[in-house]
Amino acid sequence: MGAPPIPRQKPRRRLNAIASFISRLVREAARTSPARLALFVFTAMILLFTIILELPISSVSGQRTRFADALFTAVSAMCVTGLVTVPTQTHWSTFGLVVLMAAIKVGGLGVLTLASLLGLSVMRHMGLAQRIVTARETKAAKLSEVGGVLRTIVITSTGFEIATFIALVPFLLRHETSLKYALFNSIFYAISAFNNAGFIPEVGGISRYMADPWFSIPIATSVFVGALGFPVILVLVQNWRTPERWSLHAKLTIWTSSILLVAGTVGVLLSEWDNPATLGGHGFDTKLLSSTFASVMTRSGGFSTLDIGAMNTDTWLIMDLLMFIGGGSGSTGGGIKVTTFALLVLSIIAEARGDRDIEIFGRSIPYDTIRQAIAVLVISVLFVAIATWTMLRLTDYPLDRVLFEVLSAYGTVGLSTGITSDLSLAAKYVIIVCMYVGRIGPMTLGAALALRSRRRVIHLPEERPVVG
């Protein structure tokens, strides 16, 4: 008689073996390269939401959504941008809208988590003295465990979303036909606002709310706080009564964000004052409210109570600059980041005054940090230039509209002059790349530059070239 047959492994044991293998891989990746693991998971989630949005159940018509449109929407939601190729309000079913909310929530948390993991990677490679100083400045000692980071991020972000939801429910109850839609739209707006996504669930948009502070103020506040970033929010929650204990990063972010808010408000107000298609014909209170709302949204939010396509070109220029700067580091906002812009301005001021050191709030900025800021700026400018040139080759739209679209995608803002849905297939993929790179690129680049910092024992002779 032959040998007895080897019993097949039971499906449950096989699944347990696979799960154990995957778990070991994840633990090893988290130990050796947490940032790479986060990037992989972030990209995998985009593909998962793309597949779900393709399903017939996700659309109102019950038909399968084209892959390009599903991918565009998934990337826009996960990268908390808000640009769309199909109308959110009429194309997606209730199930599709719930999927969008989930993608926005996961995308917002994923971005914050990725930023924290990148920060942990940088902290591990710092010298002991530098780590002590950084931990004291940023309260990084509480970021020693990834689980603690995730828990704090989820609690903080969800708390602000609940507060926005509570503020919006009474307002939407006065405008919706049923309690069900008022509650659903309030939840959607709350998640979309804090995560700076800019998706709108209502047919007709939000232009009808431009004169109502009960809508504009809660949305703008949620967007502004979300754009500050988790490190700043944590400092504010812990030390809101004692500003002198705020970290340098928190002070730079808050002051620069406030200055940009005021500058953007004044710029939009003056540029659109007499424009009959936007602010013209309205009273001063409505003009001021709408201009402030536009200033907040241009930096990362993506909501708009004004017709962007009907604005003057000089207003587009102001918004281009704000979109390129973006939100705070470690936030759901995009762009080169507020602190990068602040450091560049401080270095220019120090150079103009002839100061050897760059100082602010009683602290001196290291030169390697300034070099990193310059690198982020130059690489971002080159990417935007290449993407704009490519879009000009693929479309027939003028430079001002194409540049606005590219900056909105790269800054993960979500505003548009109205050309997104009319783009060719190739142009849509260019915008997809802009959203993804704009969401992941600056954080990854900043961390990579910090990790590559090294000391040299031998220095070459110095020689000063002519500048200017």
Side-chain angles (χ1 to χ4, degrees):
M1 295 180 62
I6 300 175
R8 292 185 177 181
Q9 192 177 23
K10 293 182 179 181
R12 181 177 298 178
R13 292 181 180 178
R14 192 173 302 171
L15 290 175
N16 290 337
I18 294 175
S20 177
F21 175 74
I22 294 176
S23 178
R24 288 197 302 270
L25 287 179
V26 170
R27 285 198 302 268
E28 180 64 19
R31 184 182 65 84
T32 58
S33 180
R36 189 177 303 170
L37 174 63
L39 281 172
F40 173 78
V41 174
F42 193 78
T43 305
M45 291 302 298
I46 289 177
L47 296 178
L48 175 62
F49 281 114
T50 299
I51 295 172
I52 297 176
L53 290 175
E54 269 193 296
L55 298 176
I57 192 176
S58 297
S59 66
V60 172
S61 63
Q63 298 179 349
R64 200 174 190 88
T65 302
R66 288 196 313 169
F67 174 78
D69 294 326
L71 176 63
F72 193 103
T73 306
V75 172
S76 184
M78 281 291 294
C79 296
V80 290
T81 303
L83 289 173
V84 293
T85 55
V86 294
T88 304
Q89 308 87 349
T90 57
H91 180 84
W92 303 111
S93 64
T94 302
F95 176 80
L97 292 176
V98 172
V99 172
L100 276 182
M101 279 194 288
I104 293 169
K105 181 68 175 177
V106 171
L109 292 175
V111 168
L112 295 173
T113 304
L114 176 58
S116 300
L117 291 175
L118 289 171
L120 288 174
S121 299
V122 174
M123 287 289 294
R124 288 175 183 173
H125 288 76
M126 289 180 177
L128 178 59
Q130 190 177 3
R131 289 177 63 176
I132 292 174
V133 172
T134 305
R136 186 178 62 224
E137 282 295 313
T138 63
K139 305 295 185 290
K142 296 191 177 182
L143 302 181
S144 57
E145 295 183 357
V146 174
V149 175
L150 291 173
R151 187 164 51 252
T152 307
I153 288 174
V154 170
I155 293 174
T156 303
S157 62
T158 304
F160 277 102
E161 289 165 355
I162 292 174
T164 306
F165 165 77
I166 294 174
L168 288 176
V169 168
F171 171 81
L172 290 178
L173 276 175
R174 293 190 285 113
H175 291 82
E176 298 292 345
T177 56
S178 68
L179 176 63
K180 178 180 68 175
Y181 287 111
L183 294 176
F184 182 85
N185 289 339
S186 296
I187 295 174
F188 195 102
Y189 276 125
I191 294 176
S192 185
F194 180 79
N195 292 285
N196 287 202
F199 283 88
I200 299 173
E202 294 183 277
V203 177
I206 60 175
S207 57
R208 53 181 168 161
Y209 304 143
M210 69 175 294
D212 202 321
W214 294 103
F215 177 84
S216 298
I217 292 178
I219 293 292
T221 302
S222 184
V223 169
F224 185 83
V225 173
L228 289 177
F230 170 71
V232 177
I233 294 175
L234 182 60
V235 170
L236 292 179
V237 170
Q238 293 178 337
N239 303 301
W240 66 275
R241 291 184 177 180
T242 54
E244 64 276 4
R245 299 182 62 184
W246 294 356
S247 66
L248 176 61
H249 171 73
K251 292 178 181 178
L252 269 180
T253 302
I254 293 171
W255 275 101
T256 308
S257 298
S258 301
I259 292 172
L260 290 173
L261 172 61
V262 174
T265 300
V266 174
V268 174
L269 185 64
L270 295 178
S271 298
E272 296 297 316
W273 184 272
D274 294 326
N275 188 345
T278 55
L279 295 181
H282 294 281
F284 177 76
D285 292 344
T286 301
K287 289 181 177 180
L288 181 60
L289 178 65
S290 300
S291 299
T292 305
F293 190 84
S295 180
V296 174
M297 299 306 150
T298 302
R299 293 217 7 262
S300 61
F303 295 99
S304 180
T305 56
L306 302 175
D307 185 357
I308 302 296
M311 286 182 171
N312 297 318
T313 53
D314 54 333
T315 308
W316 288 350
L317 177 60
I318 296 172
M319 300 177 83
D320 285 343
L321 295 174
L322 293 175
M323 289 190 295
F324 185 68
I325 295 172
S329 299
S331 75
T332 53
I336 63 172
K337 305 302 182 186
V338 167
T339 46
T340 302
F341 173 74
L343 292 175
L344 293 171
V345 172
L346 289 174
S347 64
I348 293 173
I349 294 174
E351 187 65 29
R353 297 171 59 180
D355 296 335
R356 293 184 59 86
D357 296 327
I358 301 172
E359 300 174 342
I360 187 70
F361 298 122
R363 294 289 187 271
S364 178
I365 308 297
Y367 285 104
D368 58 346
T369 304
I370 301 299
R371 291 202 308 269
Q372 293 165 18
I374 294 174
V376 170
L377 171 67
V378 173
I379 293 175
S380 297
V381 169
L382 288 176
F383 180 85
V384 169
I386 293 173
T388 302
W389 178 84
T390 305
M391 288 286 290
L392 289 172
R393 298 285 295 176
L394 295 175
T395 67
D396 296 326
Y397 293 107
L399 175 61
D400 51 5
R401 290 182 180 270
V402 169
L403 180 61
F404 192 99
E405 196 80 8
V406 169
L407 286 173
S408 180
Y410 183 76
T412 66
V413 178
L415 298 175
S416 176
T417 59
I419 69 174
T420 310
S421 58
D422 297 327
L423 295 175
S424 64
L425 185 61
K428 289 179 182 179
Y429 282 113
V430 173
I431 297 298
I432 288 175
V433 173
C434 289
M435 289 189 291
Y436 185 85
V437 173
R439 179 68 278 167
I440 302 300
M443 287 187 297
T444 307
L445 176 61
L449 292 173
L451 293 175
R452 286 180 60 85
S453 179
R454 60 181 182 177
R455 296 178 180 271
R456 297 185 61 176
V457 178
I458 301 175
H459 296 272
L460 297 176
E462 289 185 356
E463 183 174 351
R464 184 183 297 273
V466 178
V467 177

